[in-house]
Every structure is written in structure tokens, then in C-alpha cells.
Amino acid sequence: MKKPSAINEKLCQGKDVFERMNYLYQASLFVSSQNISLASYYSSILSGCAKKAVLRIEHNVKRSICKVCESPLIPGKTAKVRLMAKKQKIIKTICYVCKTIKRIPIKKKHTLWFDQPESLIEIFDYNLKTETNNFKTCNSRDSIEIKCYSYNWQN
Amino acid sequence: MENSNDNICLPLPVTISNWFTTYKQREDYLVNFLKNILPSSDVKDIDEELRKLFPLTKRKGKVTNKPEKSSLMAMRKCIRLYLNQTKTYIQYKQMVPLNSLWLGYMHHMLGIKNFTSLPMNFTHSHWESINHRLIKADFHGAIITIVKSKCPSTIGIEGIIIQDTKNTFKVLGKDNVIRVIPKASCIFRIHLEHNVYFDVFGKELCIRPTERSVKKFKNFQIPDL
Ligand SMILES: [Zn+2]
């Protein structure tokens, strides 16, 4: 008889890389208050890991990283957030480091595939009894992909 | 003397200047020569054939300005260079929380609640799998000391790893100084808890941090130091 954790590990491919990416994201958020270049270095390793292991970065994480300088975008600290409503409704974030503008359009009845309830198939629990850490498996088109879902970083 | 000076400024006599040929004259001569010799059917193609460029011709074609490399990369490089300049702005005290964050990550990574339950000998059943996980882990934020080294002045340096490149570690010491330490010639001691640590041969860590999570490792490597 196998332990449940051993079975889970086989199902969730690239679990260690996800954990590493999770840690790097938290580290880059933490460091951003002290040294912005170190923060951008950590998140560039995050995206490098995702590229090497062919895994996708969770969309909320991806949207909170500047696409040019790769520093984390924290509203008020490293980024300016504005709502625009000409022609199309847009959330506009401006990076303070490199002044790039990131625009995300919004529609009223549109939700991302990852936010829809039918995308979720199974949840693996990798708890160490005290902490929470969830991994979510999603079915998108015909391939199965797994995304890192946990973010419990306290200031 | 005056005469010779005047001679320099004078144009060359016609008899001498006839000897010289310019590039255009030679080209015209060639075209005329070809037109005379070739059969009438091929005369049309002379211009096209001459325009073609060959790999070793002295004349180069029009140099088209290549579009500059994406400014994104230049921007990133600027910020990365910044890291070397701002040495004194990172303080050891401020980076201590990063180490506790790293410890939490290692708990998850190894799947162990207490570090004291780590296997001590290679006879343990989990020895190999844990070794495998350790070498794939991320070392940003770990506290290390250098136990042995080929370079005696680096022995005993202690600090938090800030940057991890292919051949070096950048270590922030307690005196807020960043030191660059070559990996290949050192043995590192990585501290996990109060009395728990493990020693690593630096040579096995000589991989780029992004490639480390994907690369497959051999089980047995002969350490040479
Ligand atoms: Zn930016």
C-alpha cells in the first residue's frame, strides 16, 4: 500500500519547480521594499524556471510582474494603478522603475477560464499539518495542466 | 626650388593622366567588351548578371540598418548592473527574514516537519531521494559558511546567499559587505537549524540556477578537491 502523498507526487508533475517558483515570488515581494534590482533578479529566475520546465505561471502572479524589468508590481509602492474608461474599460498599471504601462481590458460578463468553476477538476493537498498549500489541476482545451495556486505570504 | 614647388600644384600633364583608369572606366570597358563579344541574345542579361554579388567581392551591397535589439533586454541589463553598484544599500538585518522564509520553503521542499528527522547515513531508505531534492532546491536566502577551500582567505566567510550564478555565489556578510565566492574550489556548509547542517561540494552546484530545476543528475560523482 502506498502512502497518499507518494501518489499525489506522481500526479502533480513539476511539484518541486512550483514550490521553487512560489518561494521566489515571495522572496521577490519581500526584497522589493529594500532593493528593487534584487527583486527583479528573483522574479526573472522565476520566469526562467517556468520557461525551462515548460510550466505556466499562474495568471495573477504573471500579471503582478512587470514585463520589461520583471520587478514585482505592488500598487502604491512600485506601481501606479488607474482605471481608464475611453472606448474600452481598462485597468492601467504603470511601473515606477521603467515606466512601462500594462493595460488589461475588462468586460462585464467575461471571466478568465481559470476563474470559471468548471476548469477545476481536482485539488491536491500538500499540507504539512499547520500550513496550507494548494495545487489545482485544470483542464484547458485538451491538455491537462497544473498550476501553482498558493500564496500565503505575510507582511 | 621655386620651380619644383610650382610643379606640385600644377595638374599632371595629359600624357600621364591618360595612364590612369578609374573604376567607372573599367566597368564601361567591360560592358562594351561583353556587348561586342557576346551573341545578341545574351546582351539583355549583362546588366543583371553584373549586379549580382559574390561572396568575396570588394563592393558590398546596400547595408540595411538592422533594427536595434529589443529595448526590453537593454532595460533589464541596466537594472541588473544596478545590483553591482548598490553594495551598501542592503543590510544584513533586513535580510534575516528572507532566511526564515527560505527555511519554510525547505520544509515544504523536503516534506519534513522537523529537520532533525533528516537521514544521517547513506543506509537510510530516503537518502537518495532527499539528496536529489536538495540539489534541485533554490539557495537564495540560505545561510552558509565556507569550510574548506583552495583559497585560504575565503575560509570562514559566513553570510546569506543573495545571488547565485553559474560559477559564483554572492554572499552578504554580517558586516553588510557583499563578497563574491567561486563555487568550484570550495566546500560549503549550509545551515538549516541550530545544529543541523549539510556540507556540499561546490563543484556539484556549478549550474545556472534556472537550469538546475530541470537537469538530471548522476547518482554517483567522484569529488575532486
Ligand atoms: Zn517595469
Side-chain angles (χ1 to χ4, degrees):
Chain A
M1 199 183 132
K2 277 181 183 176
K3 285 179 189 175
S5 65
I7 300 166
N8 279 351
E9 245 166 63
K10 272 187 182 177
L11 281 172
C12 183
Q13 201 192 19
K15 185 204 157 207
D16 49 346
V17 186
F18 275 132
E19 269 172 355
R20 193 179 173 192
M21 280 154 64
N22 188 12
Y23 164 71
L24 283 169
Y25 183 60
Q26 293 173 32
S28 92
L29 280 188
F30 167 72
V31 168
S32 68
S33 61
Q34 290 145 31
N35 193 328
I36 199 71
S37 53
L38 201 58
S40 84
Y41 170 73
Y42 285 154
S43 42
S44 76
I45 287 179
L46 187 154
S47 56
C49 278
K51 266 178 203 167
K52 279 279 167 194
V54 202
L55 298 168
R56 255 159 240 183
I57 308 171
E58 214 260 347
H59 61 277
N60 283 327
V61 175
K62 196 184 153 199
R63 283 178 175 191
S64 67
I65 292 172
C66 174
K67 62 182 174 182
V68 175
C69 63
E70 299 188 307
S71 55
L73 301 171
I74 307 163
K77 280 182 182 171
T78 59
K80 193 163 82 175
V81 182
R82 294 286 179 274
L83 301 175
M84 307 289 287
K86 290 173 187 173
K87 286 183 187 175
Q88 215 177 7
K89 287 179 181 174
I90 286 172
I91 299 176
K92 193 165 127 183
T93 37
I94 303 167
C95 173
Y96 277 153
V97 182
C98 61
K99 269 89 181 175
T100 0
I101 305 168
K102 191 169 208 160
R103 296 183 191 85
I104 297 166
I106 331 159
K107 279 180 188 174
K108 231 180 189 181
K109 285 175 185 175
H110 181 259
T111 49
L112 291 176
W113 168 250
F114 282 98
D115 290 338
Q116 288 167 15
E118 66 254 41
S119 73
L120 196 142
I121 294 170
E122 204 180 343
I123 291 178
F124 299 133
D125 214 8
Y126 289 102
N127 282 358
L128 280 177
K129 277 141 202 173
T130 51
E131 291 153 283
T132 53
N133 191 4
N134 295 322
F135 286 85
K136 204 163 96 178
T137 315
C138 302
N139 189 6
S140 129
R141 281 144 214 167
D142 33 77
S143 66
I144 292 175
E145 49 180 69
I146 307 151
K147 65 173 183 171
C148 173
Y149 201 64
S150 88
Y151 167 55
N152 45 356
W153 177 72
Q154 287 142 13
N155 196 357
Chain B
M1 288 303 285
E2 281 176 6
N3 282 333
S4 65
N5 271 340
D6 287 341
N7 284 341
I8 288 171
C9 298
L10 284 172
L12 284 167
V14 186
T15 48
I16 298 172
S17 63
N18 275 342
W19 284 91
F20 305 129
T21 51
T22 55
Y23 186 80
K24 245 190 177 175
Q25 283 171 347
R26 268 177 276 162
E27 212 177 48
D28 288 340
Y29 172 76
L30 186 70
V31 173
N32 283 328
F33 175 74
L34 285 172
K35 269 180 188 173
N36 291 332
I37 281 188
L38 285 174
S40 58
S41 59
D42 289 347
V43 171
K44 292 174 196 168
D45 300 336
I46 288 173
D47 273 354
E48 264 185 41
E49 290 291 326
L50 281 177
R51 222 176 279 162
K52 279 179 187 172
L53 290 172
F54 300 98
L56 287 174
T57 43
K58 282 178 185 174
R59 214 167 118 223
K60 281 173 188 173
K62 276 184 186 175
V63 182
T64 51
N65 284 331
K66 282 178 188 173
E68 283 181 10
K69 262 195 174 179
S70 60
S71 59
L72 299 185
M73 289 312 292
M75 189 74 209
R76 279 173 198 172
K77 242 181 205 175
C78 278
I79 289 166
R80 213 49 47 73
L81 285 174
Y82 219 62
L83 190 64
N84 299 333
Q85 292 168 4
T86 56
K87 271 180 187 173
T88 49
Y89 287 90
I90 313 171
Q91 287 187 336
Y92 186 82
K93 268 185 196 171
Q94 289 175 326
M95 298 302 277
V96 171
L98 188 72
N99 184 49
S100 59
L101 197 70
W102 183 77
L103 287 176
Y105 158 70
M106 286 307 273
H107 275 292
H108 272 287
M109 187 79 189
L110 301 173
I112 296 168
K113 218 180 170 189
N114 280 320
F115 287 125
T116 44
S117 60
L118 277 171
M120 302 295 284
N121 296 316
F122 58 89
T123 49
H124 201 278
S125 57
H126 289 305
W127 174 259
E128 226 164 65
S129 70
I130 277 181
N131 266 1
H132 219 77
R133 279 180 196 171
L134 273 178
I135 212 153
K136 284 192 174 186
D138 196 283
F139 289 109
H140 297 283
I143 288 180
I144 60 162
T145 48
I146 293 155
V147 189
K148 284 180 186 173
S149 173
K150 276 182 184 173
C151 175
S153 64
T154 55
I155 294 173
I157 289 173
E158 192 178 354
I160 294 178
I161 296 175
I162 279 181
Q163 203 179 4
D164 185 0
T165 58
K166 195 186 174 186
N167 286 319
T168 56
F169 273 135
K170 276 188 184 172
V171 174
L172 176 70
K174 276 184 180 170
D175 48 350
N176 303 336
V177 178
I178 298 173
R179 293 183 178 86
V180 183
I181 296 159
K183 281 176 187 176
S185 59
C186 294
I187 296 178
F188 298 102
R189 176 165 295 174
I190 296 172
H191 298 269
L192 291 173
E193 239 170 40
H194 183 57
N195 263 328
V196 188
Y197 56 80
F198 57 92
D199 289 5
V200 193
F201 285 99
K203 204 155 201 186
E204 288 166 31
L205 297 176
C206 279
I207 316 155
R208 253 177 233 137
T210 51
E211 282 166 25
R212 184 182 293 148
S213 54
V214 191
K215 208 186 175 187
K216 282 162 189 168
F217 292 94
K218 288 171 196 169
N219 278 334
F220 295 104
Q221 276 182 335
I222 305 158
D224 56 310
L225 185 71

